[in-house]
Amino acid sequence: MNGYSIALLGIALCVLVCGVGSCLGLYKTSTMAAGVLSEDPKKFGKVMVLVLLPATQGIYGFIIGIIASSALPAGQAAQAAMTVAEGWAIFAATMPMAVSGIVSAFFQGKAAASCIAAVAKQESLSGKLIVYPGMIEFYAILGLIISIMLSGAVGITVI
């Protein structure tokens, strides 16, 4: 496996696992919201933000994928010349977002689904309840920031 392949693997894993985490989180929130809305469709606005929160990790993974891809050389000769160390550096730069993305999206979905269930019982809590899954979002943002910082450290141009 050459450096280019290792870098591609890291980028693909980051985008993939962040997307999977978002899908799992959205599954939890959307199924809970469907139950709540079947009882009271007027609560749509109150639950929509909670439903969408786990989607952000997929977006963050996509952003890191774009940033890291910008570091890949163009042309077959340049790709073949990419060292294994350079490939591992790009791979490592994508991993904070990959790991924090899948884990935080999954658990954020669970937390937001519980908050949606609480909104079903007491609609006035919706504004306050966003704080709990929002705290989990903080760790996804930290993963995003670290991956951006590491990308800069290995010479990846941040767009």
Side-chain angles (χ1 to χ4, degrees), residues 39-111:
E39 301 274 327
D40 185 0
K42 292 177 187 167
K43 293 182 179 169
F44 179 79
K46 300 283 186 183
V47 300
M48 185 48 99
V49 173
L50 290 165
V51 169
L52 292 175
L53 277 174
T56 57
Q57 286 84 338
I59 296 166
Y60 300 159
F62 183 71
I63 290 168
I64 294 301
I66 291 170
I67 291 170
S69 293
S70 71
L72 297 177
Q76 288 183 334
Q79 292 168 0
M82 186 175 189
T83 68
V84 171
E86 290 169 332
W88 280 116
I90 292 171
F91 183 96
T94 63
M95 287 303 103
M97 186 65 252
V99 174
S100 68
I102 191 168
V103 173
S104 66
F106 176 77
F107 287 109
Q108 188 177 54
K110 291 176 76 99

Side-chain angles (χ1 to χ4, degrees), residues 81-154:
M82 186 175 189
T83 68
V84 171
E86 290 169 332
W88 280 116
I90 292 171
F91 183 96
T94 63
M95 287 303 103
M97 186 65 252
V99 174
S100 68
I102 191 168
V103 173
S104 66
F106 176 77
F107 287 109
Q108 188 177 54
K110 291 176 76 99
S114 296
C115 293
I116 291 167
V119 169
K121 294 179 182 181
Q122 192 170 349
E123 191 173 344
S124 64
L125 290 175
S126 65
K128 295 174 184 165
L129 291 172
I130 199 167
V131 170
Y132 302 117
M135 289 188 293
I136 299 168
E137 181 78 19
F138 175 72
Y139 292 95
I141 293 169
L142 290 180
L144 175 67
I145 292 168
I146 293 299
S147 283
I148 290 171
M149 289 171 56
L150 290 173
S151 295
V154 296

